[in-house]
Amino acid sequence: GGAVVDLIARPKPETQLIPFTSNPGECNESDGGVGRNIAETLGRLGAKPLFYTVVGDDDRGEALRNRLGNECGVLDVKETVNVSRDDRTASYFAVLDGDGDLQTAIADMSINSKIPFPSFEVLQHAKILILDANPKFESLLTAATVARDMGVEVMLEPTSIPKISHLAIKDYVSKDTNGVLLSCLTYATPNVGELLAWADALITKYDDCAASVINSTDEESKIRNAAKVVLHRMRPHTEAHLIITMGANGVLLASREKMNTDTTFNKSAITFAHFPSSRNVDSELGVNYTGAGDTLAGAFVNAHFINGHSLKNAIKIGMDAAVVSIEFPDGAISPVLGTV
């Protein structure tokens, strides 16, 4: 996935962002990128991840690469983090409001088309392959297909609404062909906006029989129906799960049982479990929500796949870890994750 330098701007504490003018405040630079954030989370929790990405041949790229290995617990960065002499290290400039919520952002990510994927030998020994939507589609498809064929779990972090919409359309080469990448997935971690965009892209392009499911005026029904659209197309011969992040409303787990040969829409049983936010955020020293979902994803993987917690307990652990990162105002991932 992506390794990015995050540039975060926010107004002074207890002041509101005023649009169309200059705002007094502060700007911070830190490491980010969905894939990198998840890798750091796993590393700080002791999971010893391998992270495949690319950085530019510049000062920011070199520093980011060094910190991954020296501070974040990511293994073998000299072999897995490529350096491109022809590109800038990816950067992301975000403007937050006085409450720490994202208002707008610009992403300079052209280098991500050169992100490498793990070798066959590496995937043979993996417990799970985690993808974000930054690499080019062909790389994602190759890695996911190889992992699926070897029985490795595959998780997708959709990354953004535009990226998941583009990926969904690319994944369907014709109306009569199911998405190959989507059929490799056993887990995905969309937020509500990404989930609705994902389902909408599938329905709009292919006039699916479920076309009416996300037209509901009831928000809860809309989310659950969109989850059904996506789950129906995930890896068929095993269980599939969506961990849907809903901000202050907590997390919704949508799970689908193993599908039989009959793949008619909505035939397989789908269950839902809601996890309300149970831990208050201490905002006294400032907050930063940019890495909350990535922290949840990484902590969930560590709890479930490495430490053997149940699916539901692992989600609760992930939610608690997300709060720790939210309470770290100076970066996406809290450096104290492994100590609390």
Side-chain angles (χ1 to χ4, degrees):
V4 181
V5 174
D6 281 341
L7 303 159
I8 308 297
R10 70 179 75 220
K12 286 184 176 180
E14 300 181 359
T15 61
Q16 293 302 310
L17 186 69
I18 303 173
F20 312 116
T21 189
S22 175
N23 288 260
E26 60 183 36
C27 299
N28 293 308
E29 180 175 327
S30 62
D31 297 341
V34 170
R36 196 218 66 86
N37 289 347
I38 295 174
E40 179 178 352
T41 299
L42 287 164
R44 291 194 180 279
L45 293 173
K48 300 179 180 179
L50 293 174
F51 176 45
Y52 288 80
T53 193
V54 61
V55 298
D57 188 13
D58 49 35
D59 291 342
R60 280 176 170 165
E62 181 180 6
L64 191 155
R65 196 167 179 241
N66 289 337
R67 283 190 291 271
L68 276 170
N70 296 335
E71 300 176 18
C72 301
V74 178
L75 302 183
D76 300 334
V77 294
K78 291 184 178 179
E79 287 73 36
T80 63
V81 181
N82 288 359
V83 178
S84 173
R85 295 185 177 182
D86 302 323
D87 300 276
R88 297 182 300 274
T89 295
S91 60
Y92 171 80
F93 185 85
V95 178
L96 310 182
D97 64 17
D99 297 320
D101 291 321
L102 179 68
Q103 296 301 298
T104 189
I106 299 293
D108 178 6
M109 306 284 181
S110 58
I111 192 174
N112 286 338
S113 64
K114 298 181 179 180
I115 292 174
F117 53 85
S119 67
F120 180 87
E121 290 74 21
V122 167
L123 287 173
Q124 276 186 312
H125 301 287
K127 289 190 175 182
I128 184 171
L129 170 67
I130 305 170
L131 308 169
D132 73 19
N134 281 305
K136 61 184 180 180
F137 175 75
E138 292 76 14
S139 295
L140 290 172
L141 183 59
T142 298
T145 302
V146 171
R148 177 200 62 193
D149 292 347
M150 291 192 297
V152 176
E153 305 276 4
V154 181
M155 172 186 282
L156 175 69
E157 216 306 318
T159 307
S160 70
I161 290 174
K163 287 183 184 296
I164 192 59
S165 298
H166 174 74
L167 188 151
I169 293 171
K170 286 277 288 185
D171 197 28
Y172 277 67
V173 295
S174 76
K175 184 174 180 179
D176 299 320
T177 305
N178 282 331
V180 178
L181 176 60
L182 188 47
S183 70
C184 296
L185 304 181
T186 44
Y187 292 84
T189 56
N191 62 31
V192 171
E194 291 161 353
L195 173 68
L196 295 178
W198 198 355
D200 188 58
L202 296 173
I203 291 169
T204 300
K205 188 170 178 59
Y206 298 102
D207 191 26
D208 194 280
C209 61
S212 64
V213 298
I214 59 173
N215 294 328
S216 171
T217 57
D218 175 49
E219 186 69 13
E220 181 178 351
S221 296
K222 186 182 295 186
I223 293 169
R224 291 183 179 227
N225 288 332
K228 293 176 184 178
V229 171
V230 176
L231 282 168
H232 170 65
R233 294 165 171 83
M234 291 173 68
R235 193 184 298 188
H237 303 303
T238 185
E239 293 180 354
H241 305 277
L242 293 174
I243 300 167
I244 306 161
T245 55
M246 303 189 297
N249 292 323
V251 170
L252 181 66
L253 170 65
S255 300
R256 189 213 68 209
E257 66 182 19
K258 179 179 178 180
M259 293 174 66
N260 298 317
T261 54
D262 179 7
T263 58
T264 303
F265 180 78
N266 214 22
K267 286 291 185 182
S268 295
I270 293 176
T271 59
F272 296 91
H274 179 239
F275 300 81
S277 299
S278 58
R279 178 175 168 183
N280 294 327
V281 174
D282 181 0
S283 59
E284 182 177 351
L285 299 178
V287 294
N288 183 352
Y289 288 88
T290 57
D294 303 335
T295 302
L296 191 155
F300 163 79
V301 168
N302 182 68
H304 186 54
F305 290 96
I306 307 299
N307 294 330
H309 286 274
S310 70
L311 199 64
K312 292 182 178 181
N313 282 342
I315 289 174
K316 294 175 183 177
I317 291 169
M319 292 174 69
D320 286 343
V323 173
V324 176
S325 282
I326 290 169
E327 292 173 346
F328 178 62
D330 298 326
I333 308 300
S334 172
V336 302
L337 264 183
T339 64
V340 295

Coordinates of all heavy atoms in Angstrom, one line a residue, residues 266-320:
N266 N -28.4 -12.3 -2.4 CA -29.1 -12.3 -1.0 C -29.5 -13.7 -0.6 O -30.3 -13.9 0.3 CB -30.3 -11.4 -1.0 CG -30.5 -10.8 0.3 OD1 -29.6 -10.7 1.1 ND2 -31.7 -10.4 0.6
K267 N -28.9 -14.8 -1.2 CA -29.3 -16.2 -0.8 C -28.6 -16.6 0.5 O -29.1 -17.3 1.3 CB -28.9 -17.1 -1.9 CG -29.9 -17.1 -3.1 CD -31.3 -17.6 -2.7 CE -32.2 -17.7 -3.9 NZ -33.6 -18.2 -3.5
S268 N -27.3 -16.1 0.7 CA -26.6 -16.5 1.8 C -26.9 -15.6 3.0 O -27.2 -14.4 2.9 CB -25.1 -16.4 1.6 OG -24.7 -17.3 0.6
A269 N -26.9 -16.2 4.2 CA -27.3 -15.5 5.4 C -26.3 -14.4 5.7 O -25.1 -14.7 5.7 CB -27.5 -16.5 6.6
I270 N -26.8 -13.2 6.0 CA -25.9 -12.1 6.4 C -26.4 -11.6 7.8 O -27.6 -11.4 8.0 CB -26.0 -11.0 5.4 CG1 -25.3 -11.5 4.1 CG2 -25.3 -9.7 5.9 CD1 -25.4 -10.5 2.9
T271 N -25.5 -11.4 8.7 CA -25.8 -11.0 10.0 C -25.1 -9.7 10.3 O -24.0 -9.4 9.7 CB -25.4 -12.0 11.1 OG1 -24.0 -12.3 11.0 CG2 -26.2 -13.3 10.9
F272 N -25.6 -8.9 11.3 CA -25.0 -7.6 11.6 C -24.8 -7.5 13.1 O -25.7 -8.0 13.9 CB -25.9 -6.5 11.2 CG -26.1 -6.4 9.7 CD1 -27.1 -7.1 9.0 CD2 -25.2 -5.7 8.9 CE1 -27.3 -7.0 7.7 CE2 -25.3 -5.6 7.5 CZ -26.4 -6.3 6.9
A273 N -23.8 -6.9 13.5 CA -23.5 -6.6 15.0 C -23.0 -5.2 15.1 O -22.0 -4.8 14.4 CB -22.5 -7.6 15.5
H274 N -23.6 -4.4 15.9 CA -23.2 -3.0 16.1 C -22.4 -2.9 17.4 O -22.7 -3.4 18.4 CB -24.4 -2.1 16.2 CG -24.1 -0.7 16.5 ND1 -24.5 0.1 17.5 CD2 -23.3 0.2 15.7 CE1 -24.0 1.3 17.5 NE2 -23.3 1.4 16.4
F275 N -21.3 -2.1 17.3 CA -20.4 -1.9 18.4 C -20.4 -0.4 18.7 O -19.7 0.4 17.9 CB -19.0 -2.4 18.1 CG -18.9 -3.8 17.8 CD1 -19.2 -4.3 16.5 CD2 -18.5 -4.7 18.8 CE1 -19.1 -5.7 16.3 CE2 -18.5 -6.1 18.5 CZ -18.8 -6.6 17.3
P276 N -21.1 0.1 19.6 CA -21.1 1.6 19.9 C -19.8 2.0 20.5 O -19.0 1.2 21.0 CB -22.2 1.7 20.9 CG -22.3 0.4 21.6 CD -22.0 -0.6 20.5
S277 N -19.5 3.3 20.3 CA -18.2 3.8 20.8 C -18.3 3.7 22.3 O -19.3 4.3 23.0 CB -18.0 5.3 20.4 OG -17.9 5.3 19.0
S278 N -17.3 3.1 23.0 CA -17.4 2.8 24.4 C -16.4 3.6 25.2 O -16.4 3.6 26.4 CB -17.2 1.3 24.7 OG -16.0 0.9 24.2
R279 N -15.5 4.2 24.5 CA -14.4 5.0 25.2 C -14.4 6.4 24.7 O -14.3 6.7 23.6 CB -13.1 4.3 24.9 CG -11.9 5.0 25.6 CD -10.6 4.3 25.4 NE -9.4 5.1 25.7 CZ -8.2 4.7 25.6 NH1 -7.9 3.5 25.2 NH2 -7.2 5.5 26.0
N280 N -14.5 7.4 25.7 CA -14.5 8.8 25.3 C -13.1 9.2 24.9 O -12.1 8.8 25.5 CB -15.0 9.6 26.5 CG -16.5 9.3 26.8 OD1 -17.3 9.0 25.9 ND2 -16.8 9.4 28.1
V281 N -13.1 10.2 24.0 CA -11.8 10.7 23.5 C -11.4 11.9 24.4 O -12.3 12.8 24.7 CB -11.9 11.2 22.1 CG1 -10.7 12.0 21.7 CG2 -12.2 10.0 21.2
D282 N -10.2 11.9 24.9 CA -9.7 13.0 25.7 C -9.1 14.0 24.8 O -8.0 13.8 24.2 CB -8.6 12.5 26.7 CG -8.1 13.6 27.6 OD1 -8.5 14.7 27.5 OD2 -7.2 13.3 28.4
S283 N -9.8 15.1 24.6 CA -9.4 16.1 23.6 C -8.6 17.3 24.2 O -8.4 18.3 23.5 CB -10.6 16.7 22.9 OG -11.6 17.2 23.8
E284 N -8.2 17.2 25.4 CA -7.6 18.3 26.1 C -6.3 18.7 25.4 O -6.0 19.9 25.3 CB -7.3 17.9 27.6 CG -6.6 19.0 28.4 CD -6.4 18.6 29.8 OE1 -6.9 17.5 30.3 OE2 -5.7 19.4 30.5
L285 N -5.5 17.8 24.9 CA -4.3 18.1 24.3 C -4.4 18.2 22.7 O -3.4 18.3 22.0 CB -3.2 17.1 24.7 CG -2.9 17.1 26.2 CD1 -1.8 16.1 26.5 CD2 -2.4 18.5 26.7
G286 N -5.6 18.1 22.2 CA -5.8 18.1 20.8 C -6.1 16.7 20.3 O -5.7 15.7 20.9
V287 N -6.7 16.6 19.1 CA -7.1 15.3 18.5 C -6.7 15.3 17.1 O -6.6 16.3 16.4 CB -8.6 15.0 18.7 CG1 -8.9 14.7 20.2 CG2 -9.4 16.0 18.1
N288 N -6.6 14.1 16.5 CA -6.3 13.9 15.1 C -7.0 12.6 14.6 O -6.6 11.5 15.1 CB -4.8 13.9 14.8 CG -4.5 13.8 13.3 OD1 -5.4 13.6 12.5 ND2 -3.2 13.8 13.0
Y289 N -8.0 12.7 13.8 CA -8.8 11.5 13.4 C -8.2 10.9 12.1 O -8.8 9.9 11.7 CB -10.2 11.9 13.1 CG -11.0 12.2 14.4 CD1 -11.0 13.5 15.0 CD2 -11.7 11.2 15.1 CE1 -11.7 13.8 16.1 CE2 -12.4 11.5 16.2 CZ -12.4 12.8 16.8 OH -13.1 13.1 17.9
T290 N -7.2 11.4 11.5 CA -6.7 10.9 10.2 C -6.3 9.5 10.2 O -6.3 8.8 9.2 CB -5.6 11.8 9.6 OG1 -4.5 11.8 10.6 CG2 -6.1 13.2 9.4
G291 N -5.8 8.9 11.3 CA -5.3 7.6 11.4 C -6.2 6.6 12.2 O -5.8 5.5 12.4
A292 N -7.4 7.1 12.5 CA -8.2 6.3 13.4 C -8.7 5.0 12.7 O -8.5 3.9 13.3 CB -9.5 7.1 13.8
G293 N -9.2 5.0 11.5 CA -9.6 3.8 10.8 C -8.5 2.9 10.6 O -8.6 1.6 10.6
D294 N -7.3 3.4 10.2 CA -6.1 2.5 9.9 C -5.6 1.9 11.2 O -5.2 0.7 11.2 CB -5.0 3.4 9.3 CG -5.4 4.1 8.1 OD1 -6.3 3.6 7.4 OD2 -4.8 5.1 7.7
T295 N -5.7 2.6 12.3 CA -5.3 2.0 13.6 C -6.3 0.9 14.0 O -5.8 -0.2 14.4 CB -5.3 3.0 14.7 OG1 -4.4 4.1 14.4 CG2 -4.9 2.4 16.1
L296 N -7.5 1.1 13.8 CA -8.5 0.1 14.1 C -8.3 -1.2 13.2 O -8.3 -2.3 13.7 CB -9.9 0.6 13.8 CG -11.1 -0.2 14.3 CD1 -12.3 0.6 14.5 CD2 -11.5 -1.4 13.3
A297 N -8.0 -1.0 11.9 CA -7.8 -2.1 11.0 C -6.5 -2.9 11.5 O -6.6 -4.1 11.6 CB -7.6 -1.6 9.6
G298 N -5.4 -2.2 11.8 CA -4.2 -2.9 12.2 C -4.3 -3.6 13.5 O -3.9 -4.7 13.7
A299 N -5.0 -2.9 14.5 CA -5.1 -3.5 15.8 C -6.1 -4.7 15.7 O -5.9 -5.7 16.5 CB -5.6 -2.5 16.8
F300 N -7.1 -4.6 14.9 CA -8.0 -5.7 14.7 C -7.3 -7.0 14.1 O -7.4 -8.1 14.6 CB -9.2 -5.4 13.7 CG -9.9 -6.6 13.2 CD1 -10.8 -7.2 13.9 CD2 -9.6 -7.0 11.9 CE1 -11.5 -8.4 13.4 CE2 -10.2 -8.1 11.4 CZ -11.2 -8.8 12.1
V301 N -6.5 -6.8 13.1 CA -5.7 -7.9 12.5 C -4.8 -8.5 13.5 O -4.7 -9.7 13.7 CB -4.9 -7.4 11.3 CG1 -3.9 -8.4 10.8 CG2 -5.9 -7.0 10.1
N302 N -4.1 -7.6 14.3 CA -3.2 -8.2 15.3 C -3.9 -9.0 16.4 O -3.5 -10.1 16.8 CB -2.4 -7.0 16.0 CG -1.4 -7.5 17.0 OD1 -0.4 -8.1 16.7 ND2 -1.7 -7.2 18.3
A303 N -5.1 -8.5 16.8 CA -5.8 -9.2 17.9 C -6.4 -10.5 17.3 O -6.4 -11.5 18.0 CB -6.9 -8.3 18.4
H304 N -7.0 -10.5 16.1 CA -7.7 -11.6 15.6 C -6.7 -12.7 15.0 O -6.8 -13.9 15.3 CB -8.7 -11.2 14.6 CG -9.6 -12.3 14.1 ND1 -10.3 -13.1 14.9 CD2 -9.9 -12.7 12.8 CE1 -11.0 -13.9 14.2 NE2 -10.7 -13.8 12.9
F305 N -5.8 -12.2 14.1 CA -5.0 -13.2 13.4 C -3.7 -13.6 14.1 O -3.2 -14.6 13.9 CB -4.7 -12.6 12.0 CG -5.9 -12.6 11.1 CD1 -6.6 -11.4 11.0 CD2 -6.3 -13.7 10.4 CE1 -7.7 -11.3 10.1 CE2 -7.3 -13.6 9.5 CZ -8.1 -12.5 9.4
I306 N -3.2 -12.7 14.9 CA -1.9 -12.9 15.6 C -2.2 -13.5 17.0 O -1.6 -14.5 17.5 CB -1.0 -11.7 15.7 CG1 -0.8 -11.1 14.3 CG2 0.3 -12.0 16.3 CD1 -0.2 -12.0 13.3
N307 N -3.1 -12.8 17.8 CA -3.3 -13.2 19.2 C -4.5 -14.0 19.4 O -4.8 -14.4 20.6 CB -3.4 -11.9 20.0 CG -2.1 -11.1 20.0 OD1 -1.0 -11.7 19.9 ND2 -2.2 -9.8 20.1
G308 N -5.3 -14.4 18.4 CA -6.3 -15.4 18.5 C -7.6 -14.9 19.1 O -8.4 -15.8 19.5
H309 N -7.9 -13.6 19.2 CA -9.1 -13.1 19.8 C -10.3 -13.4 18.8 O -10.1 -13.5 17.6 CB -9.0 -11.6 20.1 CG -8.2 -11.3 21.3 ND1 -8.7 -11.3 22.6 CD2 -6.9 -11.0 21.4 CE1 -7.8 -10.9 23.4 NE2 -6.6 -10.7 22.7
S310 N -11.5 -13.5 19.4 CA -12.6 -13.7 18.5 C -12.8 -12.4 17.7 O -12.3 -11.4 18.0 CB -13.9 -13.9 19.4 OG -14.2 -12.7 20.1
L311 N -13.6 -12.6 16.6 CA -13.9 -11.5 15.7 C -14.4 -10.3 16.5 O -13.9 -9.1 16.3 CB -14.9 -11.9 14.6 CG -15.0 -11.1 13.4 CD1 -13.7 -11.2 12.6 CD2 -16.2 -11.7 12.5
K312 N -15.4 -10.5 17.3 CA -16.0 -9.4 18.0 C -15.1 -8.7 19.0 O -15.1 -7.5 19.2 CB -17.3 -9.8 18.6 CG -18.4 -10.2 17.6 CD -19.7 -10.6 18.3 CE -20.8 -10.9 17.2 NZ -22.1 -11.3 17.8
N313 N -14.4 -9.6 19.8 CA -13.4 -9.0 20.7 C -12.3 -8.2 20.0 O -11.9 -7.2 20.5 CB -12.8 -10.1 21.6 CG -13.7 -10.6 22.7 OD1 -14.7 -9.9 23.0 ND2 -13.5 -11.7 23.2
A314 N -11.9 -8.7 18.9 CA -10.8 -8.0 18.1 C -11.3 -6.7 17.6 O -10.5 -5.7 17.6 CB -10.4 -8.9 16.9
I315 N -12.6 -6.5 17.3 CA -13.1 -5.2 16.9 C -13.1 -4.3 18.0 O -12.7 -3.1 17.9 CB -14.5 -5.4 16.3 CG1 -14.5 -6.1 14.9 CG2 -15.2 -4.0 16.2 CD1 -15.8 -6.4 14.3
K316 N -13.5 -4.7 19.2 CA -13.5 -3.9 20.4 C -12.0 -3.4 20.7 O -11.8 -2.3 21.1 CB -14.0 -4.6 21.6 CG -15.5 -4.9 21.4 CD -16.0 -5.8 22.6 CE -17.5 -6.2 22.4 NZ -18.0 -7.0 23.5
I317 N -11.1 -4.3 20.6 CA -9.7 -4.0 20.8 C -9.2 -2.9 19.8 O -8.5 -2.0 20.1 CB -8.8 -5.2 20.7 CG1 -9.1 -6.1 21.9 CG2 -7.3 -4.9 20.7 CD1 -8.4 -7.5 21.8
G318 N -9.6 -3.1 18.5 CA -9.3 -2.2 17.5 C -9.9 -0.8 17.7 O -9.3 0.2 17.5
M319 N -11.1 -0.8 18.2 CA -11.8 0.5 18.5 C -11.1 1.2 19.7 O -10.9 2.5 19.6 CB -13.2 0.3 18.9 CG -14.1 -0.2 17.7 SD -15.8 -0.6 18.2 CE -16.5 1.0 18.6
D320 N -10.6 0.5 20.7 CA -9.9 1.1 21.8 C -8.5 1.7 21.3 O -8.1 2.8 21.7 CB -9.6 0.1 22.9 CG -10.9 -0.1 23.7 OD1 -11.9 0.7 23.6 OD2 -10.9 -1.2 24.4

